[in-house]
Amino acid sequence: MSEQSTDLRETVRERYAAAAAKVTGGGSACCGPQPVEAGENFGSTRYAADERASLPAGAVAASLGCGNPTAVAELRDGERVLDLGSGGGIDVLLSARRVGPAGKAYGLDMTEEMLALALDNARKAGATNVEFLKGTIEAVPLPANTVDVVISNCVINLSVDKPAVFAETFRVLRPGGRIGVSDVVADDTLTPGQRAERGDHVGCIAGALSFTEYREGLAAAGFTDIEITPTHPVADGMHSAVVRAVKPSGATGARGPATTAGTGRGVSACCTSGEPAVAVD
């Protein structure tokens, strides 16, 4: 990884660590956790009022996404779902309810402060079919063909290696598995420089792919049935979009760029249920 990429990743980590600290620090205030300022196009307002009301205040306050992937992923009872960049756990907790006791929801995040907040939120919600993993979305600490659905909420645009994210997503999905992602996508007419003029990397703008780049990246990883549907504008020529794609039923391995990511070897997960931590040797 280049020095610039390392710096960008650290900047992203610091931003989300600070967001978690703000929420946690407000927990003893008279009005409860203090919500993170995300702007009108981001955050908990993308969820229905009844969804917000049913979750711990800390999960809602920490929401920084640009959509509601659990509403578009069509989760089914008994499925296993992975949330890339799970933050305070809002989408993991909503997913856990949709897949029911026979299913499971994994949350993956690289920020210790967010993982601690998510674990606390899961405890308050009484969720027993969730598990939070520490790691990056470019190196998912799960074995291949593990999950039925991968979701993410305005996180893939933050990655410094999006081909690795697409390859890892493809690898961990079972054959016939699918993705339902909310992300920021740019018009094809905008150059990377023009995207950067509209917002910074940690603000989910500068790092966004164009519609064509996103589609080509998913196809290169092996995905089919790719759909990218804009939902609302977030800047001039930039959109929050719903991204759907499928891993073909005959596929088993990974395609796309070779990567050392994702073996899951020697990685232990934080657990919120009575089962032991995942440790894949």
Side-chain angles (χ1 to χ4, degrees):
M1 185 183 299
S2 69
E3 182 177 348
Q4 181 182 18
S5 295
T6 301
D7 290 344
L8 277 175
R9 176 179 286 177
E10 178 59 19
T11 300
V12 171
R13 190 202 66 77
E14 289 176 353
R15 189 239 178 157
Y16 285 87
K22 179 177 181 180
V23 173
T24 304
S28 60
C30 64
C31 300
Q34 299 301 301
V36 178
E37 294 180 7
E40 62 180 357
N41 295 313
F42 300 88
S44 62
T45 58
R46 312 318 307 180
Y47 299 85
D50 60 337
E51 289 180 313
R52 299 195 303 268
S54 68
L55 294 172
V60 177
S63 177
L64 289 163
C66 58
N68 182 353
T70 62
V72 302
E74 299 177 358
L75 301 178
R76 304 169 189 131
D77 187 66
E79 288 188 318
R80 289 183 167 239
V81 57
L82 167 65
D83 180 19
L84 300 177
S86 50
I90 186 170
D91 292 316
V92 174
L93 297 179
L94 289 173
S95 296
R97 292 180 181 178
R98 291 176 184 264
V99 300
K104 186 161 186 176
Y106 293 98
L108 173 65
D109 206 280
M110 68 176 180
T111 309
E112 291 184 4
E113 293 85 350
M114 277 294 187
L115 286 169
L117 176 61
L119 285 166
D120 185 55
N121 288 329
R123 178 185 59 79
K124 291 176 179 175
T128 59
N129 60 335
V130 305
E131 189 170 330
F132 290 97
L133 311 169
K134 184 181 179 182
T136 68
I137 62 175
E138 299 88 0
V140 180
L142 285 173
N145 309 314
T146 301
V147 297
D148 300 288
V149 188
V150 172
I151 64 172
S152 186
N153 197 349
C154 205
V155 172
I156 294 176
N157 66 80
L158 296 171
S159 172
V160 296
D161 188 354
K162 295 175 182 66
V165 177
F166 294 146
E168 279 292 271
T169 301
F170 189 88
R171 183 187 65 80
V172 300
L173 280 169
R174 64 166 180 79
R178 63 197 188 278
I179 67 172
V181 168
S182 294
D183 211 358
V184 172
V185 185
D187 285 343
D188 289 335
T189 56
L190 293 183
T191 66
Q194 290 171 326
R195 298 169 212 174
E197 291 172 356
R198 286 155 170 77
D200 60 14
H201 191 90
V202 297
C204 303
I205 301 296
L209 296 174
S210 70
F211 284 90
T212 295
E213 290 167 345
Y214 217 117
R215 190 174 293 106
E216 290 178 345
L218 289 170
F223 285 100
T224 60
D225 301 323
I226 300 166
E227 300 177 1
I228 305 176
T229 307
T231 57
H232 61 276
V234 298
D236 183 23
M238 311 284 291
H239 314 268
S240 174
V242 171
V243 181
R244 296 184 178 92
V246 175
K247 179 175 180 176
S249 58
T252 55
R255 285 181 51 186
T259 168
T260 58
T263 62
R265 190 171 302 279
V267 177
S268 294
C270 307
C271 295
T272 56
S273 66
E275 66 188 42
V278 170
V280 183
D281 298 318

